Amino acid sequence: MGPLEVETDSGLVELGGARQRAALAFLLLHANRVVPTSQLLDALWPTDRAPLTARKILQNAVWRLRRALAHAAGPEGGPELVTRAPGYMVRVRPEDVDLLVFQQRVAEGRAALAADDPMTASRVLREALSLWQGVALADLVEDGTIWPQLTAVQEMRLDVMEDRFEAELACGGHHAVLRELEAYVEAEPLRERASQQLMTALYRCGRQAEALGVYSRARAALVGGLGLEPGRQMQLLQQSVLTQDPSLDLLPEVMARREQALAAAASPAPGSTDRERNAYGVHGAGDATTPAPAAHATPEAAPGPVPAGPPEETVEPLNTRQPATILMLRFHLGAEFDHLPPKDVDRVLDAVSQLAREKIEEFGGEVAASIGSVQLGYFAHPPERTSGAERAVRAGTSVRDCLSVPAAPTAPHTPVVRGLQVEAAVTTGEAVVTQWTVAGAVRPWIGGDLVDVCQDMLDRTPGGMVQVCDLTRRLTESRITYHRAGSSRSRWHVRAIGPVADAAGERCPSQASEREYELDLMHGLLCRARHRSMPHLITVLGESGLGKTRLLMEFRRRLSVEKDPVRVLTGSVPRPGSGGPLSAPAEMFAAYCGIGDEDTERTALGKAEAALIRLAGSEDGARAMLAALDPLIAPGRPAHRTPSIGETLGAWRDFLVKAALAQPLVLIWDDLHHADDILLETVEHLTDTSADVPLLNVVGARALLLELRPDWAGGRQHSMTISLAPVAADTLDRLLRSLLVPDGSADVA
């Protein structure tokens, strides 16, 4: 009935990390019942993408919980976590669990209400609601836990509050509950029963016009939100208010009992308790049993009480509805991580989660939830700052770009580290924001339909993509370009993103790349190659790690937002034995012609021929080039004469020259140190044989390239080599290198 706690006579029991707490909480929601292991796994990893080690992680969590609960056992016993096929069960006495006590009191209160004893019902239901200390399992909810069982508990609390309002009204307590009812209805405009109760309370307070206003607002909310008219009972109540139906008035005997109760509360009999005085809604300023306001009350309408205790304790949350943007990020670890022990898998998830938190905060957001592989960021919309929608999209793409390399403009990004992938979703609208004060710091919890929409969008986002809703797109399209997510009219994928600028139009220093000077050099050579029609070669040398690939990736990203269009083709040279010398040229050629993996051989040939006809200007010239380039399109296809690798690379070089003459061209190679001699020779001398062509050839490789070819680009005009000096590696870089390439024999970039 608040944060998850296990309390003994000696104090609180330490329950461990978020996964252990979530496991215990889910078992307590099914107290004294067996929970199947499969159901528990679905609760701990709700995205249906649990790691292969999930069962082992769960077993370890149960083992630790058993040890923790053993310390909670007193002389009369305590909670016990037992294994019962097909899963686990927590055995506990009903009187030891607040939720079970709450449910028992609610049953008693509703029975009294059904027996026409509203005074008893009001007292018992008030006692039940006094058990709540905030949002149920608030610590887990704040970390992003969303369970149907937990939602049902929250909904039950709202139902019980309405039961108590009904009992109070039946006792004549319309003045006492009016303020709470107004706040409750403002936060829950679609709950017709509460709106009817507020109409009744206002009418009995002599505020007939305001009662009719409640009906109008409720109808507008129902029609606008659900397309439904108010129910018949509410329509009849409106008519009763309009006609001043006597049935809305309290019976004289009820008013008499009310006056007696008020008199007794004002002069309590010896031995009477605060709880007895409060049975009719009479609350003293120092009452510890004063009930909390509605779970979604606005702070202006009904601020929650602050419990007694030191200021660093958690206080009752304040809830508002605010315009905001929500960012959700989810990380996936593929089969490449299966060889790692569970503790190392957790270290990877912790590192990427820390990366997400840093980026969310860097772009002015707050981390509102973090559970497992999912991170939720909250971006408010204060008028004095850049749009929260733009900041959220930039944060999501920044995380994605740290872990992946651009492929085709509309295709998912390729992971920098094989097996480590991220996707992101961004939605803008009105969010329910709960401000929790914990240890003196205010922390938000975000709820409402906006989060549900974002979760649904995230489930439909391909790996390596950032997907946004239509409102987010419209708010940010002046700086960010998008393409549709399939045939959807409401979902968009980020295609290119421009730099963040300050008021003077300069790039903000906080968003500058660590390799800003290197990027400026590369961009300067591109301008020279484009404006003087002069080919240039740039070689970027860097050791294993993420620096080299990140630099190439950032350069490509900046080219995508150039005012003067430039064509960019990228290719990654595979390791020896996993691809031939034509793999990277084939990748570039396919991208230029628009050939996709789903295209048949016939379709691919047709696209290639059409592209070559546009470049050559004639069908005969195109067919001659196509014959030599055939191995790039359909390797291994039977032909009258199969050209040699040298012939194909020569034709491919001629194709590049024609493409650059049609539009300035940038080639970006990664891992060229894997190439064999014939491809190295072609790439190195590409600019020598392409005079008077606006072509920039950018090569990324490890220093091994200079061992293979000591005179690489040596003494040539229009060439430059950038040797990347080490920079302060972040936690993720160091971790991935230590786990995936401990001997330096494998690349993560």
Side-chain angles (χ1 to χ4, degrees), residues 202-379:
L202 287 168
Y203 180 83
R204 290 178 180 175
C205 291
R207 297 159 65 178
Q208 179 180 348
E210 293 178 52
L212 294 172
V214 171
Y215 176 86
S216 298
R217 291 193 298 273
R219 181 181 181 277
L222 288 167
V223 172
L226 303 175
L228 298 174
E229 290 286 340
R232 178 169 176 77
Q233 191 172 6
M234 192 167 185
Q235 294 180 29
L236 291 175
L237 178 59
Q238 181 206 26
Q239 292 299 318
S240 297
V241 172
L242 286 170
T243 60
Q244 300 183 355
D245 192 326
S247 64
L248 295 178
D249 297 328
L250 282 173
L251 297 175
E253 54 268 30
V254 174
M255 291 299 298
R257 285 199 301 267
R258 176 74 179 178
E259 292 172 0
Q260 293 173 3
L262 289 172
S267 302
S272 64
T273 64
D274 289 341
R275 181 170 292 171
E276 289 168 344
R277 296 200 307 274
N278 288 336
Y280 301 96
V282 182
H283 312 301
D287 265 337
T289 55
T290 303
H296 298 289
T298 60
E300 295 82 1
V306 179
E312 62 269 15
E313 291 185 357
T314 303
V315 301
E316 185 72 15
L318 301 179
N319 306 282
T320 58
R321 291 183 178 271
Q322 300 177 5
T325 297
I326 300 299
L327 163 66
M328 275 192 182
L329 294 153
R330 181 163 56 209
F331 301 98
H332 299 299
L333 302 183
E336 292 83 355
F337 288 79
D338 290 349
H339 71 284
L340 297 177
K343 65 177 182 178
D344 286 341
V345 173
D346 286 342
R347 287 169 61 201
V348 173
L349 286 176
D350 288 343
V352 294
S353 297
Q354 179 62 28
L355 169 68
R357 290 191 290 271
E358 290 173 356
K359 291 299 181 181
I360 289 171
E361 292 173 356
E362 177 184 341
F363 284 89
E366 296 182 76
V367 180
S370 174
I371 183 168
S373 60
V374 178
Q375 305 288 321
L376 187 148
Y378 160 67
F379 294 79

Side-chain angles (χ1 to χ4, degrees), residues 427-510:
T427 54
T428 301
E430 189 178 68
V432 177
V433 182
T434 303
Q435 298 290 350
W436 285 88
T437 303
V438 181
V442 178
R443 302 179 62 185
W445 174 84
I446 312 301
D449 293 341
L450 190 63
V451 176
D452 295 336
V453 171
C454 196
Q455 175 70 59
D456 179 67
M457 187 179 295
L458 185 67
D459 290 339
R460 292 185 285 174
T461 301
M465 300 295 278
V466 178
Q467 190 169 168
V468 308
C469 68
D470 192 57
L471 178 56
T472 302
R473 176 192 65 83
R474 286 187 275 116
L475 290 173
T476 60
E477 60 185 352
S478 62
R479 290 185 178 272
I480 302 171
T481 58
Y482 299 92
H483 62 91
R484 289 190 184 276
S487 59
S488 173
R489 294 180 177 271
S490 59
R491 294 181 290 114
W492 301 79
H493 288 150
V494 175
R495 181 170 186 172
I497 189 164
V500 179
D502 61 16
E506 299 293 332
R507 186 178 294 117
C508 294
S510 62

Side-chain angles (χ1 to χ4, degrees), residues 330-337 340 345 347-353 355 373 399-400 402-405 413-423 463-464 546 550 732-733 735-737 739-740 748:
R330 181 163 56 209
F331 301 98
H332 299 299
L333 302 183
E336 292 83 355
F337 288 79
L340 297 177
V345 173
R347 287 169 61 201
V348 173
L349 286 176
D350 288 343
V352 294
S353 297
L355 169 68
S373 60
V399 173
R400 188 271 311 272
C402 285
L403 301 174
S404 60
V405 182
H413 283 212
T414 302
V416 171
V417 178
R418 286 180 291 275
L420 174 58
Q421 199 167 57
V422 61
E423 64 250 12
L546 303 183
R550 281 184 178 177
L732 180 61
D733 289 357
L735 177 64
L736 293 175
R737 277 200 291 272
L739 294 180
L740 302 183
V748 291

Side-chain angles (χ1 to χ4, degrees), residues 676-729:
D676 56 14
D677 287 339
I678 190 170
L679 182 59
L680 285 174
E681 186 74 19
T682 301
V683 175
E684 182 181 13
H685 294 283
L686 186 60
T687 54
D688 297 343
T689 57
S690 308
D692 302 323
V693 174
L695 171 66
L696 182 64
N697 193 22
V698 182
V699 170
R702 291 173 60 178
L704 177 63
L705 177 64
L706 297 184
E707 298 178 19
L708 298 173
R709 300 181 73 89
D711 60 343
W712 174 268
R716 290 185 175 84
Q717 290 184 334
H718 316 313
S719 67
M720 177 179 68
T721 299
I722 300 175
S723 295
L724 298 181
V727 295

Side-chain angles (χ1 to χ4, degrees), residues 384-699:
E384 70 276 8
R385 296 194 58 182
T386 307
S387 165
E390 181 180 340
R391 290 184 282 116
V393 175
R394 290 185 180 277
T397 54
S398 181
V399 173
R400 188 271 311 272
D401 293 343
C402 285
L403 301 174
S404 60
V405 182
T410 61
H413 283 212
T414 302
V416 171
V417 178
R418 286 180 291 275
L420 174 58
Q421 199 167 57
V422 61
E423 64 250 12
V426 183
T427 54
T428 301
E430 189 178 68
V432 177
V433 182
T434 303
Q435 298 290 350
W436 285 88
T437 303
V438 181
V442 178
R443 302 179 62 185
W445 174 84
I446 312 301
D449 293 341
L450 190 63
V451 176
D452 295 336
V453 171
C454 196
Q455 175 70 59
D456 179 67
M457 187 179 295
L458 185 67
D459 290 339
R460 292 185 285 174
T461 301
M465 300 295 278
V466 178
Q467 190 169 168
V468 308
C469 68
D470 192 57
L471 178 56
T472 302
R473 176 192 65 83
R474 286 187 275 116
L475 290 173
T476 60
E477 60 185 352
S478 62
R479 290 185 178 272
I480 302 171
T481 58
Y482 299 92
H483 62 91
R484 289 190 184 276
S487 59
S488 173
R489 294 180 177 271
S490 59
R491 294 181 290 114
W492 301 79
H493 288 150
V494 175
R495 181 170 186 172
I497 189 164
V500 179
D502 61 16
E506 299 293 332
R507 186 178 294 117
C508 294
S510 62
Q511 308 304 334
S513 168
E514 291 178 339
R515 304 291 188 182
E516 196 69 43
Y517 295 114
E518 289 87 346
L519 288 166
D520 287 342
L521 283 173
M522 297 167 69
H523 189 266
L525 280 188
L526 170 62
C527 293
R528 193 165 187 259
R530 181 164 51 191
H531 294 300
R532 295 190 180 182
S533 292
M534 185 180 297
H536 286 71
L537 170 64
I538 300 175
T539 305
V540 180
L541 298 178
E543 292 306 315
S544 63
L546 303 183
K548 168 176 59 66
T549 301
R550 281 184 178 177
L551 178 63
L552 299 178
M553 178 176 60
E554 179 62 22
F555 184 55
R556 172 174 178 168
R557 186 172 301 110
R558 294 195 179 186
L559 297 182
S560 67
V561 294
E562 283 280 311
K563 293 181 180 178
D564 297 326
V566 60
R567 191 66 178 265
V568 182
L569 301 177
T570 62
S572 182
V573 180
R575 295 172 177 275
S578 58
L582 299 180
S583 296
E587 182 181 350
M588 294 181 176
F589 185 70
Y592 187 91
C593 299
I595 299 172
D597 294 337
E598 72 283 355
D599 287 332
T600 63
E601 182 178 304
R602 181 176 181 180
T603 302
L605 287 169
K607 290 183 177 180
E609 184 177 10
L612 294 176
I613 289 174
R614 289 194 298 271
L615 293 178
S618 67
E619 294 186 6
D620 292 340
R623 291 194 181 97
M625 292 180 63
L626 188 62
L629 293 172
D630 187 75
L632 300 183
I633 308 166
R637 184 169 66 93
H640 176 68
R641 176 183 175 275
T642 302
S644 66
I645 293 177
E647 289 178 298
T648 298
L649 289 175
W652 175 76
R653 182 187 59 228
D654 295 339
F655 149 73
L656 292 177
V657 171
K658 294 182 182 298
L661 290 173
Q663 181 181 9
L665 184 63
V666 177
L667 305 181
I668 298 180
W669 304 80
D670 200 8
D671 292 338
L672 193 69
H673 55 276
H674 291 319
D676 56 14
D677 287 339
I678 190 170
L679 182 59
L680 285 174
E681 186 74 19
T682 301
V683 175
E684 182 181 13
H685 294 283
L686 186 60
T687 54
D688 297 343
T689 57
S690 308
D692 302 323
V693 174
L695 171 66
L696 182 64
N697 193 22
V698 182
V699 170

